[in-house]
Amino acid sequence: MNALRDIPTTLANIAPSSLENIIDEFNENEGDHLNDESEIEIELEDEEPLEAAWECVEILKRHFSNMLRMVMSMLCDEICNDLYNCFEQLLSKQWIKDSNIVGTVCETIKDYENDYKRLRRDVHVEILRYIEFKITAEYLNAIASRKLTCTEYRKRCAIAECLQNDIEALNKTFNPLFAQLNYVNKAENLTNVLHSVAEFITLRDKGMLLLEIASLLRKYPEMTQEFLFTLTDIRDDVTSSESRALTEDCMKMIGKKESDPVLKRLFQMAKGERKTTQVIKGVVPRIRRRVKVSITNQ
């Protein structure tokens, strides 16, 4: 009977999964777990009542945990759907001209925060962490989509400046929210990834590329080779074959290291699809550059 009296206390201690588990499980269908009630049947004839009661508690905890993840997934999907148009404009010409895009993102987060205030603290924190993860992933995905190709130095500086401004705005939004929940993120701040990307984009000296790529890879061993290639191929002073060779050499030089599961998942999500118009826009400037170089050499 003591075990049965402790059930409410036990259920109150159910906590959501960590961020890396939530990210992997958000898109899974939990319906099968919720509809299967046969698991909670207890055969009292074959087991001691106390053991049967605790087994029932564990089954209930699993069901409540599944329900919790499903609800958290729905909450995160809702805000991400509202921000879809903003995500689509990242790293576009409109994004460079219009600073209100990140402003819309931040105001939307603050608006939803009014609804999140009633959530349990640990659930509240995990939802905010996932939203931060999703926003960072969308920026990386925009780069992976190769919206920027063969970009001259002055334009790259403008892009990096816009990116830094967005990072500052996002930090001003998320940091107070985490602070009021007394949450200290011991892991790598996700927006630091964007800061490092912005610094890499502004690199002027082509001769320093190999060292900078290696430095970036040491800092973020989770970074995929394809993403690193795309990041290098943004420049107008290197060919695609040179970018590919540089990234391959650095990947071999640095080798494999222990990685953060959240950052690993973050870079794995950065697999943007390139549209036909983007391919054409990327090819034309390179042809022009080759013609100029050819004329200069004659």
Side-chain angles (χ1 to χ4, degrees), residues 11 45-46 63 75 78 93 99 104 119 122 131 152 159 175 181 184 191-192 207 213 219 229 243 246 258 275 282 292:
L11 294 179
E45 308 89 57
D46 300 331
H63 280 286
L75 291 174
E78 184 179 14
K93 291 182 179 179
S99 60
T104 301
L119 294 173
D122 50 354
I131 294 170
E152 61 182 11
I159 292 167
N175 290 346
L181 294 170
V184 179
T191 53
N192 286 347
I213 294 172
K219 189 173 184 180
F229 160 72
S243 298
L246 282 168
E258 291 186 8
K275 299 178 181 178
K292 288 180 181 179

Side-chain angles (χ1 to χ4, degrees), residues 55-69:
E55 182 181 352
C56 182
V57 169
E58 291 301 318
I59 293 171
L60 287 172
K61 285 172 65 176
R62 287 197 296 271
H63 280 286
F64 275 108
S65 181
N66 291 334
M67 291 175 63
L68 180 60
R69 285 196 296 271

Side-chain angles (χ1 to χ4, degrees), residues 225-268:
Q225 181 174 326
E226 191 60 31
F227 180 82
L228 197 55
F229 160 72
T230 304
L231 195 58
T232 308
D233 202 44
I234 289 173
R235 304 175 63 91
D236 67 334
D237 55 355
V238 292
T239 64
S240 292
S241 57
E242 288 175 332
S243 298
R244 182 71 68 183
L246 282 168
T247 54
E248 288 178 354
D249 290 344
C250 284
M251 294 295 287
K252 292 176 182 177
M253 182 173 62
I254 301 301
K256 294 183 179 180
K257 292 185 177 181
E258 291 186 8
S259 58
D260 184 297
V262 174
L263 291 178
K264 184 177 181 180
R265 179 64 174 162
L266 182 68
F267 285 109
Q268 285 176 343

